[in-house]
Amino acid sequence: AAPGDEARFIALSRDITERKQAEARSHQLAYFDGLTGLPNRRMLLDRMEHALHRALNAAEVGAVLYIDLDNFKQINDARGHTVGDALLMQVAQRLTQQLRPGDTVARLGGDEFVVLVHNVAADMESAGRAALLVAEEIRAVLEAPYTIATHLYSTTGSIGITLFPKRGDGVEDLLREADTAMYRAKDLGRNRIRFYEAAMQADVQERLALEQDLKKAQAEGQLAAFVQSQVDATGAVVGGELLMRWTHPVRGNVPPSRFIPIAEASGLILRMGDWMIQQACETLARLQAAGRELSLSVNVSQRQFRQDDFVERVRHVLAHTGAHPGNLILEVTESLLIEDLDDTIARMTEIVGLGVRFSIDDFGTGYSSLAYLKRLPLFELKIDKSFVQDTPDDPSDTAIVQSILSVASHLNLRVVAEGVETRAQADFLVQNQCECLQGYLFGRPEPLAVWLARQV
């Protein structure tokens, strides 16, 4: 511009709204199903890739559920595509409503859907159970009638499950495995759920069946308290450990190693644990009335110990039964103690304030840190039977047992040796100042009433 002229500007503008809309449309077509709006196969594989990467890095277990509608073809052929499409859209809606945040439901085409579930558990066994519960919820929700243009239609879903991560499995492998499992579900008569891993199918079904049976067991009186005596160096009974036993009407005796983890995972352990503390306190009161000051130990699970009102429950049972608190010993595991140590110390201190005493069960098999032993208000350690069984012949186990006894002595803790089966083991333990012994040498676990009758 010449001097004195006004400045002039030329503006060029272009409306890119259409281009943006076209890009959005092409993205929608590339990654989402045209009918239901759900992610399509391409988007699903992309999300599975991320989920698999995360599971490998975070030590999580996820699940892929492959769902195929059982009688969709008949409805589609008989009633036409309009009804078929409406049914697929309702199925998509129901599946979406079942999702947790972060999970994905996709439509692969036709009447095939896939649900990708992140982080169902930290280990394969728990994940199998959790994935089956998710699949069962989906199976139930698909089974409910569908209303389309005032007509009712019904369909069901066959569901295949595979878990990840598995060594060497990529996303296409996982999809194929879940698909294979789905066809197994169809072969078995449709409206079924099947795992790709046959062994997991059997184990998960067995665990769920046991859980259902365990719910009935307490109400029907199948659970019983047994006691195994604890003796001093002279062989005189000084107390006992309460143990739960389950006699199933069909299965017979179910070992605690089988039902206690199931009770813990399902929350049934809370009711069972309360009952055992009640049994212990009632028995202590009867022993006291007969002039016998024996102690009784009861195992307390992590879930039970962490209950908000656990301290109050213990206080109530003691007051209600009149049992001397000092004769009640609560056995906890090392893993329970280590988790949230400050909270554990506070809670233990509160319970010790009631007069109750604490024991560490299976000592030596977990963390065995001297630092936490000094900080906790403990009364005793229990040497695990795995160390006792090879004494005094095995030099390593003998040294471990002697070390535990020495540490306990310095910390003024009582020691109970579990699993004592031979006179040689007992003699070795007594010579090394172990003041309390428990094991088959002195008696097997027996029904509480039988044990109590012998003590009074």
Side-chain angles (χ1 to χ4, degrees):
D5 283 2
E6 284 183 25
R8 292 178 186 158
F9 298 94
I10 297 173
L12 293 173
S13 72
R14 188 165 35 171
D15 189 348
I16 59 166
T17 310
E18 247 179 77
R19 196 180 84 200
K20 286 287 182 196
Q21 286 172 342
E23 282 172 4
R25 272 197 303 274
S26 69
H27 180 270
Q28 186 73 18
L29 289 169
Y31 290 101
F32 292 89
D33 172 51
L35 175 67
T36 62
L38 294 177
N40 62 13
R41 182 190 183 93
R42 188 173 169 186
M43 172 70 95
L44 173 68
L45 290 172
D46 188 49
R47 291 193 181 171
M48 282 175 69
E49 209 56 86
H50 285 294
L52 187 55
H53 183 70
R54 182 176 133 179
L56 285 164
N57 288 326
E60 299 170 354
V61 181
V64 178
L65 281 62
Y66 202 115
I67 304 153
D68 185 275
L69 302 181
D70 290 326
N71 55 343
F72 174 75
K73 192 175 186 310
Q74 290 93 305
I75 296 171
N76 204 40
D77 291 350
R79 299 293 176 185
H81 292 306
T82 307
V83 170
D85 286 354
L87 181 63
L88 290 171
M89 286 165 74
Q90 286 194 31
V91 166
Q93 203 171 8
R94 290 185 189 187
L95 291 174
T96 304
Q97 284 167 353
Q98 292 299 112
L99 286 189
R100 303 174 312 165
D103 293 345
T104 297
V105 58
R107 181 181 175 220
L108 297 194
D111 59 347
E112 293 181 327
F113 296 83
V114 170
V115 175
L116 171 64
V117 189
H118 293 267
N119 191 20
V120 280
D123 63 272
M124 282 287 177
E125 191 175 338
S126 306
R129 185 177 170 279
L132 187 60
L133 292 174
V134 171
E136 187 51 58
E137 284 176 11
I138 288 172
R139 196 195 62 74
V141 90
L142 293 179
E143 218 174 14
Y146 297 80
T147 306
I148 300 167
T150 73
H151 287 84
L152 283 179
Y153 296 89
S154 65
T155 188
T156 53
S158 294
I159 305 174
I161 306 173
T162 194
L163 303 179
F164 63 87
K166 289 197 284 287
R167 187 170 296 170
D169 269 12
V171 291
E172 291 283 4
D173 299 308
L174 293 172
L175 214 48
R176 178 182 43 74
E177 288 171 8
D179 187 22
T180 303
M182 180 273 292
Y183 276 107
R184 281 186 198 150
K186 281 225 189 277
D187 291 342
L188 285 164
R190 300 164 186 260
N191 195 20
R192 305 285 175 96
I193 300 164
R194 270 288 168 274
F195 277 91
Y196 177 71
E197 301 83 357
M200 179 163 280
Q201 182 74 37
D203 186 60
V204 169
Q205 284 184 325
E206 168 72 1
R207 279 176 68 90
L208 282 176
L210 269 176
E211 187 180 316
Q212 296 306 316
D213 289 352
L214 196 53
K215 283 175 183 171
K216 292 184 286 187
Q218 197 166 5
E220 295 178 4
Q222 297 169 22
L223 298 177
F226 274 50
V227 184
Q228 187 172 30
S229 288
Q230 295 174 338
V231 304
D232 64 13
T234 68
V237 174
V238 292
E241 179 184 0
L242 246 66
L243 303 160
M244 186 171 279
R245 293 291 183 263
W246 180 14
T247 307
H248 189 281
V250 179
R251 299 171 189 268
N253 291 324
V254 183
S257 59
R258 190 81 185 101
F259 74 81
I260 294 295
I262 291 170
E264 181 84 31
S266 64
L268 292 170
I269 198 75
L270 299 177
R271 207 167 62 217
M272 289 158 62
D274 282 350
W275 182 74
M276 287 293 273
I277 291 175
Q278 179 81 31
Q279 295 289 304
C281 290
E282 285 175 5
T283 305
L284 287 172
R286 290 177 66 181
L287 286 166
Q288 287 155 206
R292 296 276 280 149
E293 291 291 331
L294 303 180
S295 65
L296 281 176
S297 299
V298 185
N299 290 281
V300 173
S301 77
Q302 179 136 333
R303 200 156 181 170
Q304 194 182 356
F305 182 82
R306 300 283 176 210
Q307 262 187 303
D308 289 343
D309 62 347
F310 180 63
V311 179
E312 197 44 57
R313 282 167 183 265
V314 174
R315 183 187 281 116
H316 174 76
V317 175
L318 288 167
H320 185 70
T321 58
H324 292 166
N327 291 333
L328 177 65
I329 299 172
L330 301 181
E331 290 190 15
V332 293
T333 60
E334 289 180 271
S335 55
L336 178 148
L337 299 174
I338 294 301
E339 193 174 302
D340 199 352
L341 189 58
D342 289 337
D343 179 67
T344 300
I345 292 169
R347 181 158 294 205
M348 283 177 77
T349 304
E350 208 177 338
I351 293 169
V352 167
L354 302 176
V356 176
R357 299 190 284 190
F358 274 97
S359 170
I360 298 183
D361 197 13
D362 301 338
F363 185 77
T365 60
Y367 301 92
S368 308
S369 162
L370 299 181
Y372 81 71
L373 281 184
K374 279 166 53 181
R375 292 183 62 192
L376 294 165
L378 292 169
F379 166 65
E380 89 181 7
L381 308 178
K382 292 190 85 174
I383 303 178
D384 187 62
K385 61 185 175 190
S386 63
F387 299 119
V388 173
Q389 68 189 11
D390 291 327
T391 55
D393 302 325
D394 183 290
S396 299
D397 281 347
T398 301
I400 288 170
V401 170
Q402 287 172 325
S403 299
I404 292 172
L405 288 165
S406 173
V407 167
S409 172
H410 283 100
L411 293 173
N412 203 23
L413 298 173
R414 183 172 89 148
V415 177
V416 179
E418 288 186 293
V420 182
E421 295 183 7
T422 68
R423 179 44 59 191
Q425 290 167 351
D427 290 346
F428 161 76
L429 289 160
V430 170
Q431 282 162 17
N432 283 274
Q433 279 71 55
C434 181
E435 55 199 296
C436 193
L437 311 174
Q438 179 181 339
Y440 288 172
L441 182 65
F442 310 104
R444 290 176 176 268
E446 56 189 327
L448 177 54
V450 175
W451 183 86
L452 179 60
R454 280 221 323 278
Q455 308 313 319
V456 297

